[in-house]
Amino acid sequence: MVRLLNAESLTLQQFKDEACPPYAILSHRWAEDPSTEVVYDDMAKFEDIRHSSVWKKAKSAAKIVAACQTVLELGFVYLWVDTVCIKQDNPMELSTAINSMYRLYHDAEVCIVYLYDYPTAEVQTLIQSDWFTRGWTLQELVAPQVVKFFDKNWDYIGKTGDLAAELTHRTRVHKKYWTSNAPVNYASVSERMSWMAGRKTTVPEDIAYCMLGLFGVNMPLLYGEGKERAFLRLQEEIMKYSADHSLFAWEDDSHQCCGTGLLAPSPECFRSTGHYRHRSDQRNNRPYQMTNKGIAIDLPLVHLEENDFVGALNCHDEEAKSVGLYLRKVSGNHYCRVRPEKISQLTQAPPRQLQSIYVNKKDPLLIAGMIARAKGGGQ
C-alpha cells in the first residue's frame, strides 16, 4: 500500500501497489524543530489551519501547498511527501517506509527538490545549500529518473542533467548517472559509500538506514543501537549479496594504534577511496562471510616481515593496479587489520595462491592483546 497526497484536494489517499497512479515526490530539508512540520495527523484539519498566521506549522503548510501547486503545473495530481504520507509515530509503518524509500523515489515520475535556503546571503550558489549535507537526500538525488530543482521562491532552477557538472563537484557522484542513465549499482561499493562521506543525519542510526536502498538491502531498524553498530550491520548485509571487495577498501586515521576489523566504522572512511573497483576478471570470486571468529575470506597474502602481510583485495585503482590491506597475524590463521589509515598499492601482481584466513572483528582491547602475544612469539 502507498499513501499519496492529492494535490488538488489536499487530502490523503491510499492505493494498492499495483493500482498506484503516476506521482511526483518531494525532496526537502526538514525544519530544525521537527515539531513545526505538518505531519499525517495534521492533514485531517489541514484546510482549517493552513491559513492561520500564528500556527507554528504555517511555514510547513505553505511549503506543502506550494509543492502541490508545482506538481499540478507539471501535470501530475498526486504527490508523496515524507512528513505527511508516513505515520511517523507508528514504528512498523516507519520501518516499512524506510526500507522501501529508495523504491518510492525510483518509481516516481519526477522528484522535485525544494531548496529553502537558496538564494540567500549565506547561500549564494546552488551547491552551498544545506540540502547537500543531509544523509537522506543522497538517495533522493540518485534514485529518481528525473530530478528538478526549485529555489526558496519555488522558481525552477534546472534538472540534474543540466546541472551535472556542479552536482558532481559537490557530491562526488559521477555525471554519467544523470546524463546517460547509468544504473547506480554500476558504481562499486566503495564509490557509493564515498558519496555519503560528509553528510549527516539528525538521528545517529539514520546514517546507515538512509543507505539501505543505495545497496539494495533491507534490515530491521534498531534505534538506540548507535550509528557505528548500525553501519556495521549495513555492511554485513551488503556482504550477503555482493562479492565486491571494495567494501573493505577504506582508510581511517583514527585507529592507528590498534588493530581493526575489515568493516569500516563510518562512511567517512570511504571519502578518498571511491575510485576503487571490483575486478571483472574474477580472479578471486570465492565467497566470504561473517563468523564468530571474524570474517572468513580467501586472499593472496604478500609477506612483509615477521607477522606482517598485505592481503590483496580483488579490486583495483584507476590505473588497474591491485590494492590490499595491511594485516598482522595474531594466531594460527587469525589476522587483524593494522595501519588502517592507508591502503597498500601493490607494485606487482599478487600471488595466485589464496590463503583461507579469518580477520578478527573490531575489538581494540582483544586485538591489542593478540598483537602483543604475536610480537612475543606466541601463536
Side-chain angles (χ1 to χ4, degrees):
M1 301 290 285
V2 60
R3 190 179 293 120
L4 298 173
L5 178 61
N6 187 309
E8 293 178 332
S9 63
L10 295 175
T11 58
L12 292 170
Q13 296 177 231
Q14 196 155 296
F15 301 90
K16 293 182 178 180
D17 288 347
E18 62 271 18
C20 182
Y23 65 93
I25 199 164
L26 177 66
S27 175
H28 65 115
R29 173 76 167 91
W30 279 48
E32 289 294 337
D33 179 1
S35 70
T36 63
E37 289 285 353
V38 173
V39 295
Y40 172 83
D41 290 335
D42 296 320
M43 293 308 296
K45 51 187 177 181
F46 188 73
E47 273 300 321
D48 296 329
I49 57 182
R50 75 182 178 100
H51 298 294
S52 172
S53 60
V54 296
W55 186 45
K56 73 172 185 177
K57 299 189 177 186
K59 189 173 182 179
S60 175
K63 174 172 60 178
I64 290 176
V65 171
C68 286
Q69 292 173 342
T70 301
V71 165
L72 292 172
E73 291 171 3
L74 292 174
F76 302 98
V77 175
Y78 294 100
L79 173 67
W80 191 89
V81 186
D82 55 356
T83 50
V84 301
C85 292
I86 305 173
K87 294 181 181 179
Q88 304 285 338
D89 57 355
N90 184 319
M92 182 175 293
E93 180 168 325
L94 181 61
S95 178
T96 300
I98 288 177
N99 273 279
S100 60
M101 191 80 70
Y102 191 94
R103 177 174 57 82
L104 278 167
Y105 276 88
H106 178 272
D107 292 348
E109 299 295 319
V110 61
C111 174
I112 56 176
V113 176
Y114 175 58
L115 305 179
Y116 78 97
D117 58 351
Y118 171 75
T120 60
E122 296 78 19
V123 182
Q124 299 183 11
T125 64
L126 169 77
I127 58 176
Q128 289 179 315
S129 173
D130 188 48
W131 185 87
F132 289 96
T133 71
R134 309 307 300 177
W136 287 106
T137 59
L138 174 58
Q139 66 176 359
E140 296 164 14
L141 176 64
V142 301
Q145 303 302 306
V146 179
V147 180
K148 295 188 174 185
F149 289 84
F150 295 81
D151 69 13
K152 67 174 185 176
N153 299 313
W154 288 95
D155 291 327
Y156 180 58
I157 302 171
K159 58 184 179 181
T160 47
D162 305 325
L163 306 168
E166 290 178 81
L167 296 177
T168 294
H169 176 73
R170 179 64 181 83
T171 66
R172 293 184 290 276
V173 179
H174 196 282
K175 62 181 181 181
K176 66 185 176 185
Y177 298 109
W178 297 306
T179 58
S180 61
N181 293 320
V184 171
N185 60 10
Y186 279 16
S188 68
V189 170
S190 64
E191 182 178 4
R192 279 174 276 176
M193 287 289 189
S194 74
W195 299 343
M196 184 59 67
R199 292 176 178 263
K200 54 191 176 183
T201 56
T202 302
V203 180
E205 294 84 356
D206 280 346
I207 201 67
Y209 302 159
C210 70
M211 299 177 74
L212 292 175
L214 200 61
F215 293 100
V217 300
N218 299 96
M219 68 184 197
L221 310 185
L222 304 176
Y223 286 109
E225 67 176 322
K227 62 181 180 181
E228 184 168 334
R229 177 59 190 142
F231 189 60
L232 289 174
R233 284 203 301 127
L234 170 65
Q235 294 170 88
E236 289 172 5
E237 287 300 315
I238 294 171
M239 285 175 54
K240 296 177 183 178
Y241 302 98
S242 173
D244 186 352
H245 280 197
S246 73
L247 172 65
F248 310 126
W250 50 270
E251 298 175 335
D252 181 13
D253 60 7
S254 65
H255 293 85
Q256 296 185 48
C257 297
C258 63
T260 70
L262 285 186
L263 301 182
S266 163
E268 288 299 316
C269 300
F270 292 90
R271 179 183 289 271
S272 62
T273 65
H275 57 289
Y276 294 127
R277 301 288 182 271
H278 184 63
R279 282 199 180 277
S280 58
D281 59 10
Q282 306 295 302
R283 66 179 60 184
N284 175 14
N285 200 28
R286 293 186 185 180
Y288 47 84
Q289 61 181 329
M290 180 63 75
T291 74
N292 62 349
K293 294 182 178 181
I295 293 179
I297 188 170
D298 296 337
L299 294 176
L301 295 181
V302 179
H303 185 243
L304 299 178
E305 59 181 5
E306 297 183 352
N307 291 314
D308 288 346
F309 298 80
V310 169
L313 297 175
N314 192 30
C315 59
H316 60 86
D317 61 16
E318 293 168 310
E319 299 178 352
K321 293 182 179 179
S322 297
V323 297
L325 307 177
Y326 292 102
L327 301 175
R328 180 163 296 164
K329 186 175 183 179
V330 290
S331 66
N333 61 347
H334 286 251
Y335 293 74
C336 68
R337 185 177 177 187
V338 293
R339 298 176 63 186
E341 75 280 3
K342 186 177 181 180
I343 297 287
S344 174
Q345 310 291 326
L346 279 72
T347 57
Q348 297 180 342
R352 290 194 171 275
Q353 183 178 0
L354 302 178
Q355 303 289 330
S356 296
I357 65 173
Y358 294 97
V359 182
N360 293 311
K361 296 181 180 180
K362 178 189 173 185
D363 186 339
L365 293 178
L366 175 62
I367 292 175
M370 296 177 78
I371 291 176
R373 290 195 296 275
K375 287 182 176 179
Q379 297 294 319

